[in-house]
Amino acid sequence: MSDAAQPTAAEVRAAAEAVKAAIDRHLDAVERRTGDDDPAVYDAFNALAAAAEVYDELLYDRYDEVTPFEIPGADDSLPPYAGPAEPSALSVLIRRDYVVAEPPRLLAQAQRLADVDAGRGADDTSPVVGTSVHAALGVLFGEYEPDEIASRHKEFGLEEGDSTLWVSAGEAAPEPGEWLGAPFEDADPELVVCRFDVSAVFDEEDDADEDFAGPAVRGA
């Protein structure tokens, strides 16, 4: 960062004072809390996290120093739980991202599956998948369950990206076919009992080999 873009010493000092004020506000909210999910405590926590992040960034930009503590930001935390105390149903929401890292491997695996399904012999070399990655993915995901693809992704020429799993509580199971038109439309973070996230970004943050940063589990 150039000298012209660096924050002033006064800006760093102001950010430090903002952290002090946020700490006082958070402690006051905790002392006055009305329950486990008091929104005042949640708001004060987020304000403290935001103030600490600003101070840490300015401190680093100005003095090339960091704080000795880390407060998770609001985007990394679950909102107060607003679901039933005794859930009688649950939904498991999963997203997994992949990169098609080796298209030839993907195409070859899909062609082999298509050949087996069609009962084609080794002498029949006419293509079914051809060079279409789109068709290959349809064959692959039509043959295997998502969990098996996740465990064998390298075999299929895929590279793992981020993934997340939410366990969401409910009062009753939905009617058959009720949400099939928009399966993730009603995903509500306030109903999440626990959440598991996997991302390479956690490797960079923690300087560790493991990329599992979770779970985020609410107290029972």
Side-chain angles (χ1 to χ4, degrees):
M1 178 178 290
S2 66
D3 292 340
Q6 285 184 345
T8 65
E11 288 174 327
V12 179
R13 175 62 62 180
E17 294 300 326
V19 173
K20 297 175 186 178
I23 291 175
D24 288 339
R25 177 190 170 192
H26 182 258
L27 178 58
D28 183 66
V30 170
E31 291 174 338
R32 298 171 182 269
R33 72 189 311 161
T34 58
D36 291 340
D37 296 324
D38 191 332
V41 175
Y42 178 69
D43 291 342
F45 172 88
N46 287 337
L48 176 57
E53 183 177 0
V54 170
Y55 172 62
D56 191 80
E57 290 179 356
L58 293 179
L59 185 70
Y60 181 80
D61 290 344
R62 176 69 185 183
Y63 300 111
D64 198 25
E65 292 288 346
V66 295
T67 56
F69 53 85
E70 180 179 354
I71 300 177
D75 292 341
D76 299 325
S77 60
L78 292 170
Y81 178 66
E86 298 292 337
S88 56
L90 61 89
S91 295
V92 180
L93 309 177
I94 302 175
R95 172 173 174 169
R96 295 189 180 112
D97 289 348
Y98 297 96
V99 173
V100 181
E102 299 180 71
R105 179 182 290 272
L106 171 65
L107 294 168
Q109 291 283 12
Q111 182 65 58
R112 180 183 61 80
L113 290 171
D115 289 344
V116 171
D117 288 343
R120 288 148 49 96
D123 295 336
D124 188 350
T125 58
S126 58
V128 172
V129 176
T131 60
S132 172
V133 170
H134 178 273
L137 291 172
V139 170
L140 181 67
F141 281 86
E143 179 71 19
Y144 296 113
E145 294 290 334
D147 286 345
E148 184 167 4
I149 292 176
S151 65
R152 300 173 58 185
H153 63 278
K154 292 183 179 179
E155 178 183 338
F156 303 130
L158 302 177
E159 180 180 304
E160 285 184 310
D162 288 358
S163 67
T164 187
L165 181 151
W166 295 16
V167 179
S168 181
E171 294 282 6
E175 294 296 324
E178 180 179 336
W179 49 257
L180 291 179
F184 303 108
E185 186 176 54
D186 296 329
D188 187 348
E190 293 188 350
L191 300 180
V192 173
V193 177
C194 57
R195 171 177 174 172
F196 303 84
D197 295 324
V198 177
S199 176
V201 72
F202 301 134
D203 291 345
E204 300 170 4
E205 292 176 352
D206 300 335
D207 193 27
D209 293 333
E210 296 181 355
D211 62 359
F212 174 58
V217 183
R218 300 182 188 278

